[in-house]
Amino acid sequence: FRSERTLRNVFKLLDCLIGQYKLNRTDVILQEVRDVCKELGGNWHIKAIQSLAFCRWKQYRFKEALTLFLEQQSIMGASA
């Protein structure tokens, strides 16, 4: 998962899965790539947080989603 090309394709797949409300499958994939994205930092870390937060929100797990959105905000700043 460390390849830029692989990660780009993973996030394209995740966008499709979220759009189809295949949230359990989305969740599994995000758990697999989350640590790699955090290690790489930058946009990959933000994408992983944002995708997981959105998945949690669609799963009606609002407290978890809020925690993730606040984590994203702490990295990007209040204007994000």
Side-chain angles (χ1 to χ4, degrees):
F1 286 122
R2 294 189 185 277
S3 152
E4 294 270 328
R5 181 178 179 191
T6 302
L7 286 172
R8 274 194 307 273
N9 287 323
V10 165
F11 280 97
K12 284 181 186 177
L13 172 63
L14 290 170
D15 286 344
C16 292
L17 292 173
I18 287 173
Q20 296 173 3
Y21 277 81
K22 295 184 178 184
L23 303 176
N24 291 333
R25 188 167 174 200
T26 299
D27 199 345
V28 168
I29 294 169
L30 282 167
Q31 295 307 318
E32 290 182 31
V33 299
R34 186 176 186 191
D35 290 337
V36 172
C37 290
K38 187 174 184 175
E39 286 175 26
L40 292 173
N43 287 336
W44 293 118
H45 187 205
I46 298 300
K47 279 180 167 276
I49 294 169
Q50 187 175 41
S51 295
L52 186 57
F54 193 61
C55 181
R56 293 287 182 264
W57 182 75
K58 289 206 173 232
Q59 292 170 321
Y60 299 99
R61 295 163 66 178
F62 299 119
K63 287 183 182 180
E64 291 174 61
L66 177 60
T67 300
L68 290 161
F69 283 129
L70 291 173
E71 179 183 350
Q72 178 185 345
Q73 183 182 31
S74 73
I75 295 168
M76 297 184 68
S79 64

